[in-house]
Structure formats: structure tokens, C-alpha cells
């Protein structure tokens, strides 16, 4: 399963009284820049050579022992809506094979563990889901009832002030200016506000009025892990159920999910071959 759309699976398993467990995850925003700016920063040339691909980046740091990092960087990419239910704003990023969009975007997120939640995670595997869902509803309720996403210029996001206008964006439903720094949980905003200047130190020019912060990047990884036996890879409560991939809490991206799928496929084969 994928973390974007596994909530119905979680609910189904809970209805069958199968064990689930809280898992730390990450939540934040997606930051979009002009691709030409990222090219200039990374390649030190403008425009980039036609023989070079759209440039990418990976940024991370620690703020008060909590990780803040870029995720799913999409060079020449698009910011896209990814909500799975009415009344929520969820965004994601993607690049087409040509990577020829005028924009570059990346999720920029803060690690979330059980100490950060409004509800205790002990005995409540859905505490992380509830945290995610509340942020997604807050983003939706700040808008006009459509899939337009709340946004702020990056410099205004750091300064904690409303943007009087917004730059162009690849996000097709459109953006609307809001005090995104107030919509996010305060500790998430404060960690982003302290981390982004460190990203600027690593990539001079990263902080610019031409960059836009869009909310919310909330489904980077699953907030629930579906338990499985270490050797059989089956759920301890149900023979023949093999939790697998990102949504089950065993991967953190396309490649790791594929590798987990290979491992589970071998486990399924062993199980089916048993006399």
C-alpha cells in the first residue's frame, strides 16, 4: 500500500481487530522554485547547457535534535493535488519523463514522533493519522472549498507575514495567499523557519521571493505500521496477510518499496510452497 491512500486499509484492519502500531512520520510543506534558479545555483551557469538535465537537490539538517529535510525532489516538475477524501488539502510532487517544466519542487518536512502529537500514541495507533488529518482539514477550511492550496512566498513564510501576492506556480488548481505559518502546527513552522536558513547556507540563492511555500505535504510516510513477523513477513494475527510497502510502514520511497515488495514476494512464494 501507499501512504497517500492507505487509510481505508487501516480502518478495515481495525474493524477486523487486527493489530496496528503508531509509526513516526514527517509533515511539512512543498517548496517550489523556478527551475532556472536551481540550475544556476547547482550548475553555476545560466542558462544551463542543453546537455545537462534539470538539476536537483537534497537538503537536510537537525533542529533541536529533530530532522528537517527535503523529500521527493522533482526537477522540472509539477506540484499536484493528492487528497483522498473531501474536506482536505494534500499536495505532492511529480516530474514527467522529460522534466521540462519551468519549476522545481520538493517536499520540505519535519520529523514527527509521539511526543509531538495531540493525542497519546500509546494504545492508539491512529494518533498520527488524526494529527495529519487535522492539519489537512485546517488547510482546506482556510480556502474556498476547492482544491486551491494555501501558499506564501518563502521570504514571507520566514518573516511570518502574509504575502500580498504570489508567484506563478505549476499547481494547476491554483494558490491563494494565507498566513501559512499560522495554519501549520507551531512546532512544525518553527523547525522549518530555523532549518531553511541552513538550507540557504548550503545553496546560496535558495531563499528568494520567487520561491513559494505550499501546504500541505502531509503524507511523506505512513503514520501507522502494520505488524509482521520478522521471518515469515506475515501479520501475527492473520495467516496469509503480508503487509508490504510504504503504506504498511516498511519503506520510504519508490525504490525501498520495490525492494520490500521483492522480499515479500519471496516470502509469499515460500508460504505457498509449504506442504
Amino acid at each position: 500500500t501507499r501512504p497517500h491512500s492507505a487509510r481505508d486499509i487501516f480502518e478495515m484492519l481495525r474493524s477486523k481487530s487486527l493489530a496496528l502500531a503508531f509509526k513516526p512520520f514527517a509533515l511539512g510543506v512543498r517548496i517550489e522554485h523556478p527551475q532556472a534558479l536551481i540550475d544556476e545555483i547547482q550548475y553555476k551557469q545560466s542558462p544551463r547547457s542543453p546537455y545537462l538535465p534539470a538539476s536537483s537537490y537534497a537538503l537536510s539538517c537537525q533542529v533541536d535534535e529533530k530532522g528537517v529535510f527535503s523529500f521527493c525532489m522533482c526537477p522540472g516538475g509539477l506540484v499536484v493535488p493528492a487528497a483522498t477524501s473531501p474536506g482536505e488539502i494534500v499536495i505532492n510532487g511529480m516530474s514527467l519523463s522529460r522534466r521540462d517544466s519551468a519549476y522545481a519542487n520538493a517536499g520540505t518536512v519535519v520529523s514527527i514522533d509521539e511526543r509531538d502529537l495531540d493525542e497519546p500514541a500509546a494504545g492508539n495507533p491512529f494518533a498520527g493519522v488524526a494529527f495529519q488529518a487535522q492539519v489537512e482539514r485546517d488547510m482546506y477550511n482556510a480556502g474556498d472549498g476547492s482544491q486551491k492550496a494555501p501558499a506564501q512566498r518563502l521570504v514571507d513564510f520566514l518573516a511570518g507575514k502574509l504575502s500580498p501576492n504570489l508567484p506563478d506556480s505549476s499547481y494547476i488548481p491554483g494558490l491563494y495567499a494565507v498566513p501559512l505559518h499560522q495554519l501549520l502546527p507551531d512546532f512544525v513552522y518553527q523547525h522549518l523557519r530555523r532549518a531553511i536558513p541552513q538550507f540557504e547556507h548550503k545553496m546560496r540563492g535558495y531563499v528568494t521571493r520567487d520561491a513559494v511555500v505550499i501546504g500541505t505535504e502531509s503524507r511523506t510516510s505512513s503514520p501507522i505500521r502494520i505488524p509482521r513477523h520478522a521471518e515469515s513477513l506475515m501479520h501475527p494475527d492473520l495467516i496469509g496477510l503480508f503487509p508490504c510497502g510504504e503504506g504498511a510502514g516498511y519503506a520510504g520511497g519508490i525504490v525501498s518499496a520495490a525492494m520490500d515488495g521483492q522480499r515479500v514476494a519471496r516470502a509469499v512464494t515460500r508460504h505457498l510452497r509449504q506442504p
Side-chain angles (χ1 to χ4, degrees):
T1 57
R2 288 277 286 129
H4 277 85
S5 51
R7 289 181 183 173
D8 58 342
I9 301 297
F10 300 152
E11 292 290 352
M12 179 187 69
L13 296 178
R14 178 161 66 173
S15 73
K16 304 297 183 182
S17 300
L18 298 178
L20 299 167
F22 168 79
K23 185 183 76 63
F25 58 104
L27 181 145
V29 296
R30 191 158 280 266
I31 299 180
E32 184 175 64
H33 290 80
Q35 180 64 52
L37 174 63
I38 301 301
D39 291 341
E40 184 175 0
I41 293 171
Q42 298 294 71
Y43 291 142
K44 304 296 188 289
Q45 56 179 252
S46 180
R48 75 172 189 264
S49 165
Y51 301 105
L52 291 172
S55 60
S56 62
Y57 62 81
L59 296 166
S60 64
C61 68
Q62 292 283 315
V63 176
D64 292 337
E65 300 183 352
K66 184 179 287 292
V68 183
F69 54 95
S70 64
F71 175 87
C72 183
M73 197 276 153
C74 303
L78 308 169
V79 180
V80 296
T84 54
S85 299
E88 63 188 27
I89 295 290
V90 182
I91 60 170
N92 196 7
M94 59 172 284
S95 294
L96 299 176
S97 60
R98 291 178 302 208
R99 297 187 170 185
D100 57 357
S101 162
Y103 304 95
N105 69 78
T108 309
V109 296
V110 178
S111 300
I112 309 290
D113 60 37
E114 57 187 7
R115 297 168 297 177
D116 302 314
L117 303 180
D118 299 324
E119 303 177 20
N124 179 14
F126 281 79
V129 174
F131 183 92
Q132 281 181 331
Q134 184 61 57
V135 175
E136 294 163 5
R137 286 193 298 268
D138 289 345
M139 298 290 169
Y140 180 85
N141 292 335
D144 61 2
S146 72
Q147 280 296 303
K148 287 185 177 180
Q152 211 168 358
R153 288 184 185 266
L154 179 56
V155 291
D156 296 329
F157 181 76
L158 294 176
K161 65 179 184 180
L162 181 68
S163 297
N165 51 57
L166 296 171
D168 292 337
S169 170
S170 68
Y171 187 72
I172 292 175
L175 307 177
Y176 59 91
V178 296
L180 193 56
H181 59 283
Q182 294 177 356
L183 288 180
L184 288 168
D186 187 62
F187 80 92
V188 172
Y189 169 64
Q190 295 299 335
H191 278 75
L192 290 170
R193 185 181 64 82
R194 293 172 59 188
I196 289 170
Q198 296 187 50
F199 296 167
E200 165 68 18
H201 182 73
K202 297 176 181 180
M203 284 182 61
R204 299 294 186 185
Y206 178 90
V207 175
T208 170
R209 284 189 57 79
D210 294 330
V212 63
V213 181
I214 308 171
T216 179
E217 180 81 21
S218 52
R219 308 213 190 159
T220 60
S221 59
S222 176
I224 284 181
R225 176 170 282 121
I226 304 174
R228 68 188 187 190
H229 189 273
E231 294 183 4
S232 72
L233 303 189
M234 279 189 284
H235 193 288
D237 298 340
L238 183 60
I239 294 174
L241 175 60
F242 292 84
C244 177
E246 287 187 85
Y250 295 98
I254 295 171
V255 174
S256 58
M259 293 175 67
D260 191 59
Q262 289 181 319
R263 185 180 178 212
V264 169
R266 289 192 289 268
V268 172
T269 300
R270 290 194 301 270
H271 173 67
L272 294 176
R273 287 176 175 173
Q274 289 178 354

